[in-house]
């Protein structure tokens, strides 16, 4: 959760540097046709779209209800992966969320996945997990309170339906529930402080007193967006001092295991989540030179939280985040030098699968440069862009394994192509970066058209 001012600083300030190093859309590069001319496949498949046609699997629908048999080819692509990162080309389009809902259903029912992870705060994940597994709280209130700031794009009817499905599933399967985790570090809610303080009090009076002192004045008592705005208004030196305090709290907890190893592990992780937030906001967001380090830290945290959750719970995890987080290689090296998907591939190897979602045209919600929510329209993809070729495949919506394509498709997929990459604010940095799809994702799902998600608040 980053304020509008800071988000714009993070996304827009490095734009000049990014454009300076990114190849132009018209830059000379070997064409797919010339690269594939010597291949036997080139005779049978005279274009990359014809080659993709051979291996693309059509999707019956992007809506979550009904039979999911058409996702069986996707299940084969998942193979033995235990973490599947599913991206999105915009943060707020209906079909991206409903398709993720459908994919989650399939992965839960057919592949044994039991956790849905979202690009949201760790403390938000705890509240939603308690609702899904134990029925604690009111879903509307939880979503209204947790999905604020840039996280507000998750407060839509599509995610509400996904969470309601998971709750219904858990009522029917109380001994084997679907869990929820927020892997991001934009906010640290009051329950984190309460859990850590409770553990410290049970451990020793001395530890409790030390933790109380280190956390003095930090526990949120106001709504999340206001808390973050007020926090970021503090001088940089004060934010750096707070991060040092929260780091000491983590170190102290590690030295006091207490009587319950499980409670200790969770207390250390919750204290770590507090420290993740204070560390992120201890970067100098007004200095463009500091932004890449902040973005790299954020993506590493997102990967580390996923790895910790999997190690602790033993659960297979489906991640929902932007394409530029779930990717195997960054979309914007100048501002985001190393991303969540890269970290996860390094940690898990082929146990991590990256799924990119693209679209040809449609509508989406995003903040404009005044910080106000707005519905935007994306025109049909222009010739030369990745989506223009992807949309020529005969299926309206389809999934394709980029690791297993005929030679003409492989040649085209290995070339740099401009692609839509729309974040929380529009226009923003790298809305149309050039990427090499085979380096960036394992699997690609292309949709012909999307429409803006239905916001609830």
């Amino acid at each position: 959760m980053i304020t509008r001012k800071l988000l714009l600083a993070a996304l827009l300030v490095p734009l000049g540097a990014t454009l300076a190093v990114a190849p132009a859309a018209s830059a000379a590069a070997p064409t797919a046709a010339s690269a594939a001319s010597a291949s036997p496949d080139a005779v049978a498949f005279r274009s990359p779209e014809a080659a993709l046609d051979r291996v693309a699997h059509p999707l019956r629908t992007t809506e979550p209800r009904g039979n999911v048999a058409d996702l069986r080819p996707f299940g084969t692509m998942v193979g033995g992966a235990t973490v599947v990162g599913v991206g999105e080309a915009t943060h707020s389009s209906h079909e991206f969320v409903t398709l993720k809902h459908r994919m989650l259903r399939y992965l839960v029912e057919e592949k044994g996945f039991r956790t849905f992870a979202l690009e949201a705060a760790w403390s938000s994940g705890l509240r939603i997990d308690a609702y899904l597994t134990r029925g604690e709280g009111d879903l509307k209130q939880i979503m209204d309170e947790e999905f604020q700031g840039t996280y507000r794009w998750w407060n839509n009817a599509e995610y509400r339906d996904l969470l309601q499905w998971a709750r219904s599933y858990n009522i029917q399967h109380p001994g084997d529930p679907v869990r929820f985790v927020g892997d991001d570090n934009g906010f640290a809610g009051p329950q984190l402080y309460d859990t850590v303080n409770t553990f410290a009090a049970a451990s020793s009076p001395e530890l409790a007193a030390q933790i109380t002192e280190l956390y003095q004045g930090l526990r949120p008592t106001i709504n999340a967006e206001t808390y973050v705005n007020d926090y970021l208004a503090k001088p940089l030196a004060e934010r750096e001092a707070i991060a040092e305090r929260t780091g000491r709290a983590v170190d102290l907890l590690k030295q006091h295991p207490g009587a319950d190893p499980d409670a200790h592990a969770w207390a250390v992780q919750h204290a770590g989540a507090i420290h993740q937030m204070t560390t992120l906001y201890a970067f100098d967001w007004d200095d463009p030179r500091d932004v890449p380090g902040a973005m790299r830290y954020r993506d590493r945290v997102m990967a580390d939280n996923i790895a910790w959750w999997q190690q602790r719970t033993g659960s297979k995890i489906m991640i929902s985040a932007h394409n530029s987080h779930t990717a195997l290689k960054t979309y914007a090296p100048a501002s985001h030098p190393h991303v969540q998907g890269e970290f996860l591939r390094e940690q898990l190897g082929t146990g991590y699968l990256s799924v990119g979602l693209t679209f040809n045209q449609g509508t989406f919600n995003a903040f404009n440069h005044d910080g106000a929510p707005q519905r935007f329209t994306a025109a049909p993809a222009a010739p030369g862009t990745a989506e223009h070729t992807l949309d020529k495949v005969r299926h309206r919506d389809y999934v394709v394994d980029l690791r297993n394509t005929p030679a003409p498709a492989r040649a085209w997929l290995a070339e740099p192509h401009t692609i839509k990459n729309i974040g929380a604010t529009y226009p923003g940095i790298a809305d149309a970066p050039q990427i090499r799809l085979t380096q960036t994702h394992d699997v690609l799902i292309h949709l012909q058209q999307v429409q803006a998600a239905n916001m609830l608040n």
Side-chain angles (χ1 to χ4, degrees):
M1 180 178 303
I2 301 172
T3 62
R4 303 288 74 71
K5 174 179 178 290
L6 294 170
L7 181 67
L8 290 175
L11 296 183
L12 297 178
V13 170
L15 180 58
T18 300
L19 293 179
V21 300
S26 60
T31 65
S34 63
S37 59
S39 167
D41 283 339
V43 177
F45 309 110
R46 297 185 182 278
S47 65
E49 57 266 30
L52 288 170
D53 232 20
R54 181 185 180 188
V55 291
H57 300 273
L59 297 176
R60 182 181 62 83
T61 180
T62 58
E63 293 304 303
R65 306 300 190 272
N67 191 292
V68 293
D70 56 311
L71 287 176
R72 287 174 186 160
F74 170 67
T76 301
M77 298 171 198
V78 171
T82 57
V83 177
V84 175
V86 184
E88 57 201 19
T90 80
H91 269 322
S92 189
S93 290
H94 170 88
E95 287 78 7
F96 288 149
V97 184
T98 57
L99 179 58
K100 290 181 183 189
H101 181 170
R102 195 161 185 263
M103 295 168 73
L104 177 65
R105 271 190 56 213
Y106 176 82
L107 290 174
V108 167
E109 295 169 358
E110 302 296 333
K111 299 289 288 186
F113 280 62
R114 287 298 181 271
T115 295
F116 181 77
L118 183 61
E119 185 184 338
W122 179 265
S123 53
S124 301
L126 297 178
R127 286 189 71 186
I128 295 172
D129 188 58
Y131 168 78
L132 296 185
T133 57
R134 301 188 295 276
E136 294 181 8
D138 175 75
L139 181 58
K140 181 182 184 306
Q141 180 181 358
I142 293 170
M143 294 179 70
D144 286 348
E145 292 176 356
E146 298 298 331
F147 295 154
Q148 298 186 14
T150 53
Y151 295 144
R152 73 174 294 167
W153 300 120
W154 312 154
N155 195 5
N156 58 51
E158 292 82 3
Y159 269 120
R160 179 194 60 195
D161 291 348
L162 183 155
L163 296 174
Q164 287 175 335
W165 170 83
R167 176 60 188 149
S168 297
Y169 180 93
N170 290 346
I171 290 173
Q172 298 173 37
H173 305 85
D176 188 24
V178 174
R179 306 286 302 274
F180 185 100
V181 60
D183 60 16
D184 205 359
N185 60 334
F187 178 63
Q191 61 269 51
L192 298 181
Y193 295 88
D194 296 343
T195 302
V196 172
N197 285 326
T198 297
F199 175 85
S203 180
S204 75
E206 179 184 2
L207 177 63
Q210 291 174 311
I211 294 296
T212 297
E213 181 179 359
L214 290 170
Y215 284 165
Q216 185 175 3
L218 297 183
R219 182 186 183 277
T221 57
I222 53 179
N223 73 73
E225 185 167 19
T226 302
Y227 177 90
V228 172
N229 289 342
D230 291 350
Y231 189 96
L232 288 167
K234 300 177 188 293
L236 177 60
E238 183 177 349
R239 286 182 274 134
E240 291 173 335
I242 292 172
E244 191 274 333
R245 283 163 47 193
T246 59
R248 277 193 284 147
V250 175
D251 292 339
L252 276 172
L253 285 164
K254 289 179 178 178
Q255 298 166 20
H256 293 78
D260 185 342
D262 188 61
H264 178 249
W266 283 98
V268 171
Q269 174 64 14
H270 295 337
I274 295 170
H275 185 54
Q276 289 168 359
M277 184 204 78
T278 61
T279 301
L280 178 66
Y281 294 149
F283 284 88
D284 186 355
W285 290 86
D286 292 322
D287 185 347
R289 295 170 298 179
D290 230 17
V291 170
M295 293 294 96
R296 186 184 194 280
Y297 175 74
R298 180 192 175 203
D299 273 270
R300 179 166 66 80
V301 161
M302 294 167 73
D304 288 348
N305 285 337
I306 291 295
W308 186 91
W309 181 274
Q310 185 176 68
Q311 291 165 6
R312 196 72 202 166
T313 67
S315 177
K316 293 183 180 181
I317 305 169
M318 174 180 157
I319 302 172
S320 173
H322 200 276
N323 281 339
S324 57
H325 289 302
T326 64
L328 300 172
K329 188 175 179 63
T330 180
Y331 276 50
S335 57
H336 296 68
H338 208 81
V339 296
Q340 182 184 24
E342 291 180 88
F343 286 115
L344 287 170
R345 177 55 60 86
E346 291 164 5
Q347 294 180 42
L348 304 176
T350 55
Y352 174 69
L353 184 84
S354 174
V355 183
L357 268 62
T358 60
F359 74 108
N360 179 47
Q361 63 181 313
T363 59
F364 59 92
N365 301 309
F367 294 111
N368 61 29
H369 280 186
D370 293 327
Q374 184 175 331
R375 178 170 294 192
F376 295 91
T377 298
T385 63
E387 297 92 344
H388 186 263
T389 295
L390 293 169
D391 211 56
K392 290 182 179 179
V393 172
R394 60 193 165 96
H395 309 301
R396 175 183 172 87
D397 303 321
Y398 62 89
V399 56
V400 62
D401 191 336
L402 301 180
R403 302 163 297 179
N404 183 27
T405 59
R410 286 199 304 274
W412 180 80
L413 292 165
E415 296 171 2
H417 296 285
T418 302
I419 196 166
K420 294 183 178 75
N421 182 55
I422 297 160
T425 298
Y426 185 78
I429 190 171
D431 290 329
Q434 288 205 337
I435 65 168
R436 302 173 190 268
L437 281 165
T438 48
Q439 295 181 8
T440 312
H441 300 288
D442 298 306
V443 173
L444 188 72
I445 298 178
H446 180 72
L447 307 182
Q448 188 180 84
Q449 189 161 358
V450 299
Q451 59 183 334
N454 297 292
M455 303 305 298
L456 295 175
N457 187 5

